[in-house]
């Protein structure tokens, strides 16, 4: 989620031919004006012209067609300890960027765009601060960082949020989705704050050449099925919801082992348990907010990187629609277990090697125009109305002498969607973040409703 001090591929457990940089200095707390850290040794620069992936291009097209919308995503790390000065943090980020040259790139070209080095890049345009006006100003400062515009020409930004207390602060990283998907941003988090732990993402095993015809056929079948699925769903705009454009963040958390245990009890995953609890929370919220929700279809981003593929930059994800079982009423006998069984059955193929390999092949070979068309369809509020993503982050994290105590994903809020939900696994906690428009009634109650739904699921699957 944050700017790495070494390339994300080096944070993986696989060997690398590029030497690691020496131990890096961390930004110090207190006043600015200290001597900036020495620059790391010269490293191979990024390719002068790296092609823009079709999924990147799809997001760039969305930005051009909807310039009134901020197509950004990211995350927040909450830290315990005195915050660094802004000047020190800028010097630290500048030091880190020497190892990640693509973070200082820009898009050039027309029909065949490329990433190339930005000669006018300035770290001061990318690293900012949001200062709280005393203990009561924390929420205002955090949401100012969440809603602040990027500097002209910037693709990403970091905000140091502090001022409400002497021993806690936050670092908010936001980026245009055309630059990074969630997996790339999470690898950056591990590289900077997670001590370079290996990614928890599933990847297909290396395939045999003889299996290529079968893989092509499977990928084509899936492409046809996914495309057809975006044509048959139709939603009407939600009545009584007038977006303001101001995003707000609400958080909840449960022990990660609770979600894993729920998923394992039915042969599923922690993410299945999360989605089942989300369906229960949405059903309860719909009744309390008096907003009809006869159907809810979530966009699920699926990481489609190959094991040998660079993870620090660009999009290699595929968006899948998944209908959440909000039609199961809370009063229905065994409602929680029915939602869990529904979700687990719907995601079973996604957990298999065949489908995951097919999705990797689709993302690798799908042409730009069909990709852009599909992305427009699957993100349309008439096809889906909730963004739901999850990400394994790290077991621990630190910045200098300060320790990461919590995290929050900032998933993309698609225009016309109700809200976006992100689930991050950090340490022993599974932390849910809900990004809502301030005009949506009772959006702040969703994390609490989700926690209650998780507790109900845990009781349902507990051995008698």
């Amino acid at each position: 989620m944050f700017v790495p001090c070494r390339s994300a591929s080096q944070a993986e457990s696989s060997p690398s031919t590029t030497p690691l940089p020496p131990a890096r200095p961390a930004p110090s707390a207190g006043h600015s004006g200290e001597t900036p850290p020495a620059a790391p040794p010269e490293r191979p620069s990024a390719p002068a012209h790296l092609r823009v992936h079709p999924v990147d291009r799809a997001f760039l097209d969305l930005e051009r067609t909807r310039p009134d919308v901020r197509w950004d995503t990211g995350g927040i790390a909450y830290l315990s300890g005195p915050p660094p000065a802004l000047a020190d943090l800028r010097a630290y980020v500048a030091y880190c960027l020497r190892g990640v040259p693509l973070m200082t790139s820009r898009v050039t070209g027309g029909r065949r765009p490329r990433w190339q080095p930005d000669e006018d890049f300035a770290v001061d345009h990318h690293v900012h601060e949001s200062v709280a006006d005393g203990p009561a100003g924390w929420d205002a400062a955090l949401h100012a960082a969440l809603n602040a515009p990027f500097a002209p020409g910037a693709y990403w930004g970091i905000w140091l949020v502090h001022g409400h207390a002497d021993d806690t602060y936050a670092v908010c990283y936001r980026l245009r989705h055309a630059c990074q998907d969630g997996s790339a941003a999470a690898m950056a988090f591990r590289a900077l704050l997670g001590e370079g732990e290996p990614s928890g993402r599933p990847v297909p095993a290396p395939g045999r050449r003889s299996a290529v015809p079968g893989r092509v056929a499977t990928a084509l079948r899936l492409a046809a099925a996914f495309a057809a699925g975006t044509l048959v769903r139709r939603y009407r705009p939600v009545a009584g919801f007038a977006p303001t454009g101001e995003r707000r963040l609400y958080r909840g958390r449960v022990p990660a082992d609770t979600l894993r245990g729920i998923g394992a009890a039915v042969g599923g995953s922690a993410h299945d348990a999360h989605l089942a609890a989300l369906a229960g929370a949405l059903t309860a919220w719909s009744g309390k907010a008096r907003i009809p929700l006869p159907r809810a279809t979530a966009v699920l981003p699926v990481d489609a990187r190959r094991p040998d593929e660079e993870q620090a930059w660009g999009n290699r994800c595929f968006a899948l629609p998944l209908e959440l079982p909000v039609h199961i009423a809370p009063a229905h006998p065994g409602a929680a277990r029915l939602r869990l069984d529904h979700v687990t059955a719907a995601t079973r193929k996604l957990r298999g090697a065949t489908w995951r390999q097919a999705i990797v092949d689709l993302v690798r070979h799908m042409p730009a125009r069909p990709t852009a068309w599909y992305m427009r369809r699957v993100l349309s509020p008439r096809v889906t109305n909730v963004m739901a993503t999850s990400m394994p982050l790290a077991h621990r994290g630190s910045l200098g002498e300060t320790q990461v105590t919590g995290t929050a994903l900032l998933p993309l809020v698609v225009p016309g969607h109700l809200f976006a939900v992100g689930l991050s696994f950090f340490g022993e906690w599974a932390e849910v973040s809900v990004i809502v428009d301030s005009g949506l009634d009772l959006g702040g109650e969703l994390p609490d409703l989700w926690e209650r739904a998780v507790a109900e699921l845990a009781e349902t699957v507990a051995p008698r």
Side-chain angles (χ1 to χ4, degrees), residues 192-210:
L192 177 64
L193 298 176
E195 303 185 9
E197 299 168 19
S199 170
R201 65 192 184 95
V203 294
R208 302 184 305 275
R209 187 176 295 274
S210 60

PDB file of all heavy atoms in Angstrom, residues 192-210:
ATOM      1  N   LEU A 192       7.836  -1.700   2.387  1.00  0.00           N
ATOM      2  CA  LEU A 192       8.166  -0.544   3.215  1.00  0.00           C
ATOM      3  C   LEU A 192       7.909  -0.792   4.692  1.00  0.00           C
ATOM      4  O   LEU A 192       8.762  -0.497   5.532  1.00  0.00           O
ATOM      5  CB  LEU A 192       7.356   0.674   2.769  1.00  0.00           C
ATOM      6  CG  LEU A 192       7.579   1.940   3.617  1.00  0.00           C
ATOM      7  CD1 LEU A 192       9.011   2.416   3.503  1.00  0.00           C
ATOM      8  CD2 LEU A 192       6.617   3.034   3.211  1.00  0.00           C
ATOM      9  N   LEU A 193       6.745  -1.370   5.014  1.00  0.00           N
ATOM     10  CA  LEU A 193       6.342  -1.479   6.410  1.00  0.00           C
ATOM     11  C   LEU A 193       6.164  -2.911   6.887  1.00  0.00           C
ATOM     12  O   LEU A 193       5.933  -3.127   8.070  1.00  0.00           O
ATOM     13  CB  LEU A 193       5.015  -0.730   6.629  1.00  0.00           C
ATOM     14  CG  LEU A 193       5.038   0.772   6.350  1.00  0.00           C
ATOM     15  CD1 LEU A 193       3.644   1.353   6.525  1.00  0.00           C
ATOM     16  CD2 LEU A 193       6.008   1.466   7.278  1.00  0.00           C
ATOM     17  N   GLY A 194       6.225  -3.887   5.984  1.00  0.00           N
ATOM     18  CA  GLY A 194       5.952  -5.257   6.376  1.00  0.00           C
ATOM     19  C   GLY A 194       7.160  -6.153   6.385  1.00  0.00           C
ATOM     20  O   GLY A 194       7.013  -7.366   6.380  1.00  0.00           O
ATOM     21  N   GLU A 195       8.359  -5.584   6.352  1.00  0.00           N
ATOM     22  CA  GLU A 195       9.613  -6.330   6.452  1.00  0.00           C
ATOM     23  C   GLU A 195       9.796  -7.324   5.311  1.00  0.00           C
ATOM     24  O   GLU A 195      10.430  -8.355   5.461  1.00  0.00           O
ATOM     25  CB  GLU A 195       9.706  -7.040   7.805  1.00  0.00           C
ATOM     26  CG  GLU A 195       9.583  -6.054   8.971  1.00  0.00           C
ATOM     27  CD  GLU A 195       9.785  -6.714  10.320  1.00  0.00           C
ATOM     28  OE1 GLU A 195      10.179  -7.895  10.347  1.00  0.00           O
ATOM     29  OE2 GLU A 195       9.572  -6.045  11.329  1.00  0.00           O
ATOM     30  N   GLY A 196       9.217  -7.008   4.150  1.00  0.00           N
ATOM     31  CA  GLY A 196       9.470  -7.813   2.964  1.00  0.00           C
ATOM     32  C   GLY A 196       8.936  -9.221   3.009  1.00  0.00           C
ATOM     33  O   GLY A 196       9.507 -10.124   2.402  1.00  0.00           O
ATOM     34  N   GLU A 197       7.828  -9.449   3.688  1.00  0.00           N
ATOM     35  CA  GLU A 197       7.273 -10.786   3.782  1.00  0.00           C
ATOM     36  C   GLU A 197       6.733 -11.246   2.428  1.00  0.00           C
ATOM     37  O   GLU A 197       6.253 -10.449   1.642  1.00  0.00           O
ATOM     38  CB  GLU A 197       6.152 -10.797   4.818  1.00  0.00           C
ATOM     39  CG  GLU A 197       6.635 -10.417   6.213  1.00  0.00           C
ATOM     40  CD  GLU A 197       5.466 -10.159   7.149  1.00  0.00           C
ATOM     41  OE1 GLU A 197       4.353 -10.609   6.824  1.00  0.00           O
ATOM     42  OE2 GLU A 197       5.679  -9.522   8.178  1.00  0.00           O
ATOM     43  N   PRO A 198       6.785 -12.542   2.163  1.00  0.00           N
ATOM     44  CA  PRO A 198       6.246 -13.047   0.898  1.00  0.00           C
ATOM     45  C   PRO A 198       4.751 -12.787   0.785  1.00  0.00           C
ATOM     46  O   PRO A 198       4.044 -12.704   1.783  1.00  0.00           O
ATOM     47  CB  PRO A 198       6.546 -14.553   0.957  1.00  0.00           C
ATOM     48  CG  PRO A 198       7.636 -14.686   1.967  1.00  0.00           C
ATOM     49  CD  PRO A 198       7.427 -13.589   2.960  1.00  0.00           C
ATOM     50  N   SER A 199       4.297 -12.675  -0.431  1.00  0.00           N
ATOM     51  CA  SER A 199       2.878 -12.459  -0.680  1.00  0.00           C
ATOM     52  C   SER A 199       2.071 -13.703  -0.331  1.00  0.00           C
ATOM     53  O   SER A 199       2.528 -14.830  -0.522  1.00  0.00           O
ATOM     54  CB  SER A 199       2.657 -12.109  -2.160  1.00  0.00           C
ATOM     55  OG  SER A 199       1.288 -12.118  -2.477  1.00  0.00           O
ATOM     56  N   GLY A 200       0.855 -13.486   0.165  1.00  0.00           N
ATOM     57  CA  GLY A 200      -0.028 -14.588   0.464  1.00  0.00           C
ATOM     58  C   GLY A 200      -0.947 -14.938  -0.686  1.00  0.00           C
ATOM     59  O   GLY A 200      -1.848 -15.753  -0.542  1.00  0.00           O
ATOM     60  N   ARG A 201      -0.732 -14.349  -1.849  1.00  0.00           N
ATOM     61  CA  ARG A 201      -1.643 -14.552  -2.978  1.00  0.00           C
ATOM     62  C   ARG A 201      -1.433 -15.934  -3.602  1.00  0.00           C
ATOM     63  O   ARG A 201      -0.309 -16.424  -3.709  1.00  0.00           O
ATOM     64  CB  ARG A 201      -1.410 -13.477  -4.042  1.00  0.00           C
ATOM     65  CG  ARG A 201      -0.046 -13.556  -4.686  1.00  0.00           C
ATOM     66  CD  ARG A 201       0.288 -12.324  -5.510  1.00  0.00           C
ATOM     67  NE  ARG A 201       1.571 -12.514  -6.163  1.00  0.00           N
ATOM     68  CZ  ARG A 201       1.717 -12.958  -7.404  1.00  0.00           C
ATOM     69  NH1 ARG A 201       0.654 -13.223  -8.126  1.00  0.00           N
ATOM     70  NH2 ARG A 201       2.904 -13.120  -7.930  1.00  0.00           N
ATOM     71  N   PRO A 202      -2.498 -16.590  -4.032  1.00  0.00           N
ATOM     72  CA  PRO A 202      -2.332 -17.868  -4.747  1.00  0.00           C
ATOM     73  C   PRO A 202      -1.901 -17.619  -6.183  1.00  0.00           C
ATOM     74  O   PRO A 202      -2.373 -16.693  -6.839  1.00  0.00           O
ATOM     75  CB  PRO A 202      -3.735 -18.476  -4.692  1.00  0.00           C
ATOM     76  CG  PRO A 202      -4.649 -17.299  -4.576  1.00  0.00           C
ATOM     77  CD  PRO A 202      -3.889 -16.238  -3.809  1.00  0.00           C
ATOM     78  N   VAL A 203      -0.991 -18.423  -6.675  1.00  0.00           N
ATOM     79  CA  VAL A 203      -0.541 -18.295  -8.065  1.00  0.00           C
ATOM     80  C   VAL A 203      -0.574 -19.678  -8.712  1.00  0.00           C
ATOM     81  O   VAL A 203      -0.361 -20.692  -8.052  1.00  0.00           O
ATOM     82  CB  VAL A 203       0.887 -17.714  -8.171  1.00  0.00           C
ATOM     83  CG1 VAL A 203       0.924 -16.285  -7.673  1.00  0.00           C
ATOM     84  CG2 VAL A 203       1.883 -18.562  -7.394  1.00  0.00           C
ATOM     85  N   PRO A 204      -0.868 -19.739 -10.018  1.00  0.00           N
ATOM     86  CA  PRO A 204      -0.884 -21.042 -10.691  1.00  0.00           C
ATOM     87  C   PRO A 204       0.518 -21.641 -10.758  1.00  0.00           C
ATOM     88  O   PRO A 204       1.518 -20.917 -10.816  1.00  0.00           O
ATOM     89  CB  PRO A 204      -1.407 -20.714 -12.094  1.00  0.00           C
ATOM     90  CG  PRO A 204      -1.926 -19.317 -12.030  1.00  0.00           C
ATOM     91  CD  PRO A 204      -1.202 -18.648 -10.906  1.00  0.00           C
ATOM     92  N   ALA A 205       0.577 -22.959 -10.761  1.00  0.00           N
ATOM     93  CA  ALA A 205       1.856 -23.638 -10.943  1.00  0.00           C
ATOM     94  C   ALA A 205       2.294 -23.505 -12.400  1.00  0.00           C
ATOM     95  O   ALA A 205       1.470 -23.296 -13.289  1.00  0.00           O
ATOM     96  CB  ALA A 205       1.728 -25.106 -10.556  1.00  0.00           C
ATOM     97  N   PRO A 206       3.599 -23.576 -12.673  1.00  0.00           N
ATOM     98  CA  PRO A 206       4.056 -23.527 -14.074  1.00  0.00           C
ATOM     99  C   PRO A 206       3.381 -24.606 -14.905  1.00  0.00           C
ATOM    100  O   PRO A 206       3.295 -25.769 -14.496  1.00  0.00           O
ATOM    101  CB  PRO A 206       5.568 -23.761 -13.945  1.00  0.00           C
ATOM    102  CG  PRO A 206       5.910 -23.350 -12.553  1.00  0.00           C
ATOM    103  CD  PRO A 206       4.714 -23.693 -11.718  1.00  0.00           C
ATOM    104  N   GLY A 207       2.870 -24.215 -16.065  1.00  0.00           N
ATOM    105  CA  GLY A 207       2.123 -25.146 -16.907  1.00  0.00           C
ATOM    106  C   GLY A 207       3.002 -25.857 -17.927  1.00  0.00           C
ATOM    107  O   GLY A 207       4.146 -25.486 -18.159  1.00  0.00           O
ATOM    108  N   ARG A 208       2.444 -26.910 -18.531  1.00  0.00           N
ATOM    109  CA  ARG A 208       3.131 -27.648 -19.587  1.00  0.00           C
ATOM    110  C   ARG A 208       2.690 -27.121 -20.942  1.00  0.00           C
ATOM    111  O   ARG A 208       1.545 -26.694 -21.131  1.00  0.00           O
ATOM    112  CB  ARG A 208       2.813 -29.142 -19.481  1.00  0.00           C
ATOM    113  CG  ARG A 208       3.196 -29.773 -18.152  1.00  0.00           C
ATOM    114  CD  ARG A 208       2.937 -31.277 -18.186  1.00  0.00           C
ATOM    115  NE  ARG A 208       1.574 -31.587 -18.560  1.00  0.00           N
ATOM    116  CZ  ARG A 208       0.563 -31.635 -17.706  1.00  0.00           C
ATOM    117  NH1 ARG A 208       0.770 -31.378 -16.424  1.00  0.00           N
ATOM    118  NH2 ARG A 208      -0.648 -31.946 -18.131  1.00  0.00           N
ATOM    119  N   ARG A 209       3.595 -27.170 -21.912  1.00  0.00           N
ATOM    120  CA  ARG A 209       3.271 -26.695 -23.256  1.00  0.00           C
ATOM    121  C   ARG A 209       2.116 -27.502 -23.868  1.00  0.00           C
ATOM    122  O   ARG A 209       1.289 -26.962 -24.610  1.00  0.00           O
ATOM    123  CB  ARG A 209       4.514 -26.778 -24.142  1.00  0.00           C
ATOM    124  CG  ARG A 209       4.345 -26.159 -25.526  1.00  0.00           C
ATOM    125  CD  ARG A 209       5.654 -26.196 -26.276  1.00  0.00           C
ATOM    126  NE  ARG A 209       6.659 -25.369 -25.628  1.00  0.00           N
ATOM    127  CZ  ARG A 209       6.805 -24.067 -25.851  1.00  0.00           C
ATOM    128  NH1 ARG A 209       5.996 -23.444 -26.695  1.00  0.00           N
ATOM    129  NH2 ARG A 209       7.756 -23.387 -25.238  1.00  0.00           N
ATOM    130  N   SER A 210       2.039 -28.771 -23.522  1.00  0.00           N
ATOM    131  CA  SER A 210       0.978 -29.599 -24.080  1.00  0.00           C
ATOM    132  C   SER A 210      -0.405 -29.187 -23.582  1.00  0.00           C
ATOM    133  O   SER A 210      -1.422 -29.553 -24.183  1.00  0.00           O
ATOM    134  CB  SER A 210       1.230 -31.070 -23.734  1.00  0.00           C
ATOM    135  OG  SER A 210       1.255 -31.252 -22.327  1.00  0.00           O
TER     136      SER A 210
END
